[in-house]
């Protein structure tokens, strides 16, 4: 008997010699009701299957870990939405409708933006199409016939004209609707069960502001009503935790139209930033990292040597100085770190050399892509560039992952490692690329186990492959955090060298690494992860003192001074307001500890402690409270 393991980790047994169609039928009979259907190499009812490069049967379902199954499910639903829009708005022009990380969207060219009433009608029409259970059929046409079929659809014609001669031009048809598409799809519209339109927005065709603004509708679908309900509840919770909303409520930061994508950090927010930076700085100093700072503006010549000019110029802020020379604000720190390395002769005894910095960098992101602290034009990257020998690659990467484990562990975060391989626009010698990828695979095999990590084909940097660190927050959302990149190319382009033990010049290997990604983005993610209730060690204000009447003001001031001497971040609320009002306000500000002081506290040299976590904790001696809070901080960050 042969055992076949499915994507949902269930196992079936079949006899040797069983045909693929018999195997598929057996799997189909045993799959859960939420199995997706469709085709790659064939069509079998209620499942999508493919034969991979190792001649193994691969079954795709809507299981959590089966991304391909979900993509087929959601992409099919995007066609259902397009068909619904066509029925309601016959003159609509269609752009694209891909699946995304969560759900899908479709871009439409219509006379006016969709209203809430329009979206409700579209959703109802989608449900009708699902109920009709229309068969989905694939067919292909030569380019001339494909263009004729899409004669009333200019965006589809543009896509067809860009396809190479001789390439298959495939379409999917479901009843009265046909769309240009590579697939795959489910076998019929009835295989989709539950749908929900989430939102709509404007979107330029191909993301180019010079093109026409289209109307984009975001939606999602699930095999079960319970899964949709769970997802919508998660969305509601995410709205409450939105870092842009909490940033204003907690006086952390804000954005202004006069500086798109560049945050104004308010005193509390900047205190939070500096606490995080000092923590990061301290931990790196312990591990032999040396901090430096470099210029914000560099000549285009530097960026041409590094390759950024050819691969990244459109994302850079470029200007001309008073001498007529072309300059650019730095979008990355690597060339500056290389210049630091080259400022004097280096020996093999100096390596590894770890130069870290938190300089502000700028990237000319399109305005439509800006998203709070998650996508900005100005930020501080928690960068380091480590110069090593080839023999040190494995140990250095392991050390870096060790730092990541410690840093993320402080915040209670789990993460996974992903290998991102050579992109299409890679720079340099392919042999060096292969070598670098091999180095990373060996390290990941050791850290995670062979084949126990994800591979993201073609998503490496243009100068080297990388390990991406993917973290999940308390809502289960996945975030791309830090990266570790092995680079053989830039050291060669900059003609870098060190003296080896034989007195010969050798080229170092460069490891680019960031662990938080950027401080701005990390703070945005942590604001949502903690819902603004930062742990005590990180909170901008750790204690708020609340005197009941004016008679306790002097005592409260002495308390404040005592806390400050002990390094505790404290605020005094001596306004002429009721104590209950002050407590509620402090709770909204998510202060870890509130100390209420009245006549009894003054007389006994005490404080009445209320904590964000436990509520009323009773009265205690001042020294005991100071010891308690300091111990809490020290136990978390050692």
């Amino acid at each position: 008997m042969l055992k076949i393991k499915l994507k949902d980790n269930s196992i079936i047994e079949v006899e040797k010699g069983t045909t693929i169609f018999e195997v598929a039928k057996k799997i189909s009979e045993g799959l859960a009701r939420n199995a997706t259907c469709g085709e790659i190499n064939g069509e079998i009812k209620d499942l999508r299957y493919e034969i991979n490069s190792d001649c193994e049967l691969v079954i795709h379902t809507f299981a959590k870990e089966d991304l391909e199954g979900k993509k087929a499910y959601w992409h099919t639903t995007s066609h259902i939405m397009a068909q619904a829009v066509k029925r309601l708005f016959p003159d609509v022009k269609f752009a694209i409708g891909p699946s995304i990380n969560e759900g899908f969207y479709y871009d439409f060219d219509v006379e006016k933006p969709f209203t809430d009433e329009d979206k409700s009608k579209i959703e109802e029409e989608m449900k009708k199409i699902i109920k009709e259970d229309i068969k989905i059929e694939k067919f292909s046409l030569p380019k001339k016939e494909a263009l004729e079929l899409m004669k009333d659809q200019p965006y589809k014609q543009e896509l067809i004209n860009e396809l190479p001669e001789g390439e298959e031009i495939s379409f999917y048809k479901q009843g009265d609707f046909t769309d240009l598409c590579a697939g795959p799809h489910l076998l019929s519209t009835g295989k989709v069960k539950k749908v929900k339109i989430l939102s709509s927005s404007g979107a330029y065709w191909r993301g180019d502001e010079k093109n026409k603004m289209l109307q984009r509708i975001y939606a999602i679908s699930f095999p079960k009503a319970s899964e949709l309900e769970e997802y919508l509840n998660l969305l509601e919770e995410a709205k409450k935790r939105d870092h842009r909303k909490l940033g204003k409520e907690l006086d952390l930061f804000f954005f202004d139209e006069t500086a798109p994508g560049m945050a104004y950090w308010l005193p509390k927010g900047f205190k939070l930033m500096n606490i995080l930076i000092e923590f990061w700085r301290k931990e790196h100093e312990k591990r032999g990292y040396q901090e430096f700072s470099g210029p914000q503006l560099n000549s285009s010549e530097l960026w041409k040597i590094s390759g950024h000019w050819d691969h990244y110029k459109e994302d850079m802020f470029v200007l001309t100085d008073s001498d007529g020379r072309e300059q650019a604000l730095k979008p990355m720190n690597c060339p500056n770190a290389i210049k630091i390395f080259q400022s004097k002769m280096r020996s093999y005894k100096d390596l590894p050399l770890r130069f870290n910095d938190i300089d502000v960098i700028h990237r000319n992101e399109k305005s439509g892509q800006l998203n709070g602290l998650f996508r900005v034009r100005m930020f501080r990257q928690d960068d380091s560039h480590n110069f090593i020998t080839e023999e040190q690659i494995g140990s250095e990467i392991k050390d870096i992952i060790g730092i990541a484990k410690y840093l993320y562990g402080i915040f209670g975060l789990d993460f996974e490692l992903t290998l991102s391989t050579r992109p299409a626009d890679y720079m340099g010698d392919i042999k060096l690329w292969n070598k670098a990828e091999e180095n990373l695979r060996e390290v990941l095999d050791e850290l995670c186990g062979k084949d126990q990590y994800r591979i993201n084909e073609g998503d490496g940097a243009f100068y080297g492959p990388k390990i991406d660190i993917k973290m999940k927050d308390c809502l289960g959302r996945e975030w791309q955090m830090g990266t570790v990149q092995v680079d053989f190319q830039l050291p060669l382009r900059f003609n870098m060298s060190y003296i080896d033990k034989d007195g010969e010049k050798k080229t170092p290997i460069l490891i680019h690494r960031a662990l938080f990604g950027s401080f701005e983005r990390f703070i945005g993610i942590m604001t949502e992860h903690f819902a603004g209730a930062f742990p005590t060690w990180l909170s901008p204000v750790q204690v708020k003192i609340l005197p009941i009447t004016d008679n306790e003001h002097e005592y409260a001031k002495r308390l404040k001074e005592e806390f400050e001497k002990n390094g505790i971040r404290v605020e005094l609320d001596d306004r002429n307001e009721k104590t209950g009002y002050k407590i509620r306000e402090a709770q909204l500000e998510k202060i870890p500890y509130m100390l209420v002081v009245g006549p009894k506290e003054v007389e006994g040299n005490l404080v009445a402690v209320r904590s964000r976590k436990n509520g009323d904790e009773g009265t205690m001696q001042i020294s005991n409270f100071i010891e308690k809070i300091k111990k809490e901080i020290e136990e978390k960050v050692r």
Side-chain angles (χ1 to χ4, degrees):
M1 299 289 284
L2 295 174
K3 290 185 177 181
I4 298 177
K5 186 175 183 180
L6 307 185
K7 287 279 186 177
D8 61 3
N9 291 322
S10 62
I11 294 175
I12 65 164
E13 292 186 349
V14 296
E15 294 181 2
K16 289 183 179 180
T18 304
T19 68
I20 183 172
F21 293 103
E22 291 171 334
V23 170
K25 184 174 185 296
K26 186 175 181 66
I27 293 172
S28 175
E29 292 168 352
L31 283 176
R33 290 183 180 180
N34 67 345
T36 64
C37 49
E39 51 72 38
I40 289 184
N41 293 321
E43 295 183 358
I44 299 294
K45 185 178 180 183
D46 287 342
L47 67 100
R48 173 185 159 203
Y49 72 91
E50 62 179 308
I51 305 298
N52 67 16
S53 59
D54 296 324
C55 296
E56 294 174 339
L57 180 68
V58 180
I59 304 300
H60 292 287
T61 73
F62 201 85
K64 188 175 182 181
E65 65 279 1
D66 189 352
L67 298 180
E68 291 303 313
K70 285 186 173 182
K71 284 180 181 179
Y73 197 94
W74 285 333
H75 190 47
T76 298
T77 321
S78 80
H79 278 220
I80 292 172
M81 182 165 71
Q83 184 176 17
V85 171
K86 179 69 174 174
R87 288 183 178 183
L88 296 169
F89 303 88
D91 296 328
V92 64
K93 307 300 179 190
F94 298 102
I96 57 172
S99 61
I100 52 179
N101 288 340
E102 290 184 349
F104 58 93
Y105 69 79
Y106 211 115
D107 288 343
F108 304 99
D109 186 350
V110 287
E111 288 186 2
K112 56 184 181 178
F114 293 111
T115 64
D116 289 341
E117 184 181 356
D118 291 336
K119 286 179 280 187
S120 293
K121 289 180 180 178
I122 293 168
E123 187 176 302
E124 287 306 309
E125 193 65 34
M126 290 175 70
K127 292 174 182 176
K128 289 180 185 177
I129 293 169
I130 290 169
K131 193 172 182 180
E132 291 169 21
D133 195 19
I134 305 167
K135 184 178 180 181
I136 299 174
E137 301 172 285
K138 178 183 179 181
F139 65 92
S140 299
L141 293 174
K143 180 175 280 191
K144 185 177 179 180
E145 293 179 33
L147 289 169
E148 175 62 24
L149 180 63
M150 293 286 111
K151 62 184 178 182
D152 297 325
Q153 296 294 333
Y155 302 103
K156 300 297 182 182
Q157 286 201 324
E158 183 177 327
L159 295 171
I160 291 170
N161 279 319
E162 290 176 356
L163 293 173
E165 289 298 329
E167 184 166 323
E168 180 188 22
I169 302 176
S170 59
F171 295 85
Y172 279 81
K173 182 179 187 298
Q174 52 196 60
D176 58 1
F177 177 74
T178 299
D179 202 356
L180 173 73
C181 186
H185 284 275
L186 310 187
L187 296 182
S188 71
T189 61
K191 302 304 178 186
V192 174
K193 300 304 178 185
K194 298 297 177 180
V195 297
K196 182 67 179 177
I197 288 179
L198 301 174
S199 63
S200 63
S201 65
Y204 292 108
W205 169 235
R206 295 191 150 178
D208 189 336
E209 297 173 5
K210 296 176 184 177
N211 291 334
K212 186 172 183 179
M213 174 75 79
L214 306 177
Q215 295 305 307
R216 175 173 294 178
I217 299 181
Y218 290 94
I220 199 157
S221 58
F222 288 95
K224 297 178 182 177
S226 59
E227 291 174 316
L228 176 59
E229 184 180 357
E230 181 183 349
Y231 179 79
L232 295 177
N233 289 337
L234 186 67
L235 281 187
E236 284 303 309
E237 181 61 28
K239 285 180 185 177
K240 296 175 188 175
R241 293 169 178 259
D242 189 315
H243 73 283
R244 293 163 296 188
K245 170 177 170 286
L246 290 172
K248 290 181 181 179
E249 293 175 356
L250 301 178
D251 283 333
L252 301 177
F253 61 87
F254 68 89
F255 290 89
D256 187 82
E257 61 183 12
T258 58
M262 301 183 189
Y264 278 85
W265 286 94
L266 296 164
K268 287 181 182 177
F270 204 55
K271 172 63 73 175
L272 174 64
M273 169 81 74
N274 283 325
I275 294 165
L276 189 60
I277 287 174
E278 286 306 313
F279 167 64
W280 175 89
R281 181 174 281 143
K282 177 182 173 184
E283 293 305 322
H284 283 77
E285 283 179 356
K286 287 180 186 176
R287 294 165 171 82
Y289 284 74
Q290 302 176 63
E291 189 173 347
F292 77 94
S293 181
Q296 289 290 308
L297 200 64
N298 290 103
S299 164
S300 61
E301 290 305 312
L302 183 74
W303 304 111
K304 287 173 183 175
I305 296 171
S306 70
H308 289 93
W309 203 253
D310 293 332
H311 293 80
Y312 209 78
K313 183 182 177 183
E314 65 180 29
D315 295 310
M316 298 168 69
F317 286 100
V318 178
L319 53 90
T320 303
D321 67 15
S322 58
D323 297 320
R325 293 181 301 184
E326 208 167 29
Q327 307 276 348
L329 285 170
K330 65 177 177 182
M332 317 236 177
N333 291 308
C334 5
N336 284 177
I338 289 170
K339 287 295 182 183
I340 294 290
F341 182 94
Q342 291 179 315
S343 64
K344 62 191 246 184
M345 182 60 70
R346 307 291 181 176
S347 161
Y348 73 96
K349 293 181 180 180
D350 299 323
L351 306 184
L353 262 178
R354 306 175 179 113
F355 293 130
N356 61 327
D357 69 293
I358 50 171
D359 283 350
V360 172
I361 56 182
H362 293 80
R363 295 182 185 174
N364 192 13
E365 304 282 2
K366 290 181 172 62
S367 59
Q369 296 175 329
L370 299 176
N371 179 16
L373 294 177
F374 296 159
R375 196 74 175 263
V376 290
R377 288 177 172 171
M378 182 185 81
F379 58 95
R380 299 156 183 83
Q381 187 128 316
D382 73 316
D383 239 339
S384 182
H385 293 87
N386 301 6
F387 300 92
I388 61 175
T389 67
E390 192 172 328
E391 296 74 26
Q392 293 168 336
I393 291 175
S395 60
E396 190 67 13
I397 293 176
K398 284 183 226 172
D399 285 346
I400 291 169
I401 300 302
I403 300 173
K405 284 182 178 178
Y406 173 75
L407 295 181
Y408 292 166
I410 292 293
F411 296 91
L413 305 173
D414 293 323
F415 65 88
E416 293 181 354
L417 303 177
T418 299
L419 174 61
S420 294
T421 60
R422 184 177 65 251
D425 66 339
Y426 74 93
M427 177 179 72
D429 184 350
I430 194 168
K431 290 180 181 178
L432 292 177
W433 268 90
N434 292 339
K435 191 174 187 179
E437 287 186 10
E438 183 183 347
N439 290 142
L440 291 183
R441 286 178 192 274
E442 288 174 358
V443 171
L444 287 172
D445 284 348
E446 185 176 338
L447 291 174
C448 308
K450 192 171 178 59
D451 300 327
Q452 297 303 305
Y453 51 89
R454 286 184 280 177
I455 297 178
N456 198 357
E457 297 288 354
D459 200 45
F462 67 85
Y463 48 75
K466 59 180 179 173
I467 294 174
D468 287 322
I469 301 171
K470 308 221 180 238
M471 178 275 290
K472 285 191 177 178
D473 67 11
C474 65
L475 298 182
R477 298 175 298 180
E478 186 173 82
W479 300 92
Q480 166 64 58
M481 303 295 284
T483 63
V484 184
Q485 305 168 8
V486 177
D487 184 358
F488 288 87
Q489 311 297 337
L490 288 188
L492 291 172
R493 291 177 73 94
F494 279 92
N495 196 28
M496 297 177 68
S497 65
Y498 67 92
I499 304 300
D500 71 6
K501 59 184 177 182
D502 298 321
E504 300 292 329
K505 282 189 176 183
K506 276 197 174 179
T507 304
I509 310 300
L510 172 56
I511 293 184
H512 310 248
R513 47 123 290 190
L515 300 181
F516 291 147
S518 80
F519 287 103
E520 279 80 356
R521 186 167 178 272
F522 188 75
I523 287 173
I525 293 170
M526 288 303 97
T527 300
E528 297 196 1
H529 177 67
F530 291 116
F534 299 105
T536 303
W537 74 269
L538 186 60
S539 183
V541 179
Q542 297 167 321
V543 174
K544 180 163 274 196
I545 303 170
L546 310 174
I548 293 176
T549 69
D550 291 350
N551 295 331
E552 290 81 46
H553 282 189
E554 285 304 315
Y555 178 68
K557 287 176 183 177
R558 291 198 303 272
L559 281 180
K560 182 173 182 289
E561 290 173 1
E562 185 65 23
F563 290 137
E564 288 172 341
K565 285 179 186 176
N566 282 274
I568 297 168
R569 298 184 291 277
V570 60
E571 278 187 356
L572 169 60
D573 185 352
D574 56 4
R575 295 173 300 163
N576 187 22
E577 297 284 356
K578 292 182 178 179
T579 305
Y581 177 82
K582 291 181 182 181
I583 290 173
R584 284 193 299 276
E585 211 169 62
Q587 288 172 333
L588 291 173
E589 292 171 0
K590 304 183 187 289
I591 307 295
Y593 288 98
M594 293 152 274
L595 304 183
V596 180
V597 292
K600 291 181 181 179
E601 286 72 35
V602 173
E603 183 179 346
N605 207 32
L606 302 169
V607 287
V609 181
R610 292 185 62 87
S611 77
R612 183 179 63 200
K613 182 179 179 182
N614 301 320
D616 187 359
E617 294 189 5
T619 58
M620 62 179 68
Q621 293 287 333
I622 297 169
S623 59
N624 290 343
F625 176 73
I626 291 174
E627 183 181 349
K628 166 188 166 67
I629 193 171
K630 289 175 78 171
K631 184 179 179 182
E632 179 183 334
I633 294 167
E634 288 168 3
E635 285 180 349
K636 191 64 179 175
V637 187
R638 290 177 186 266

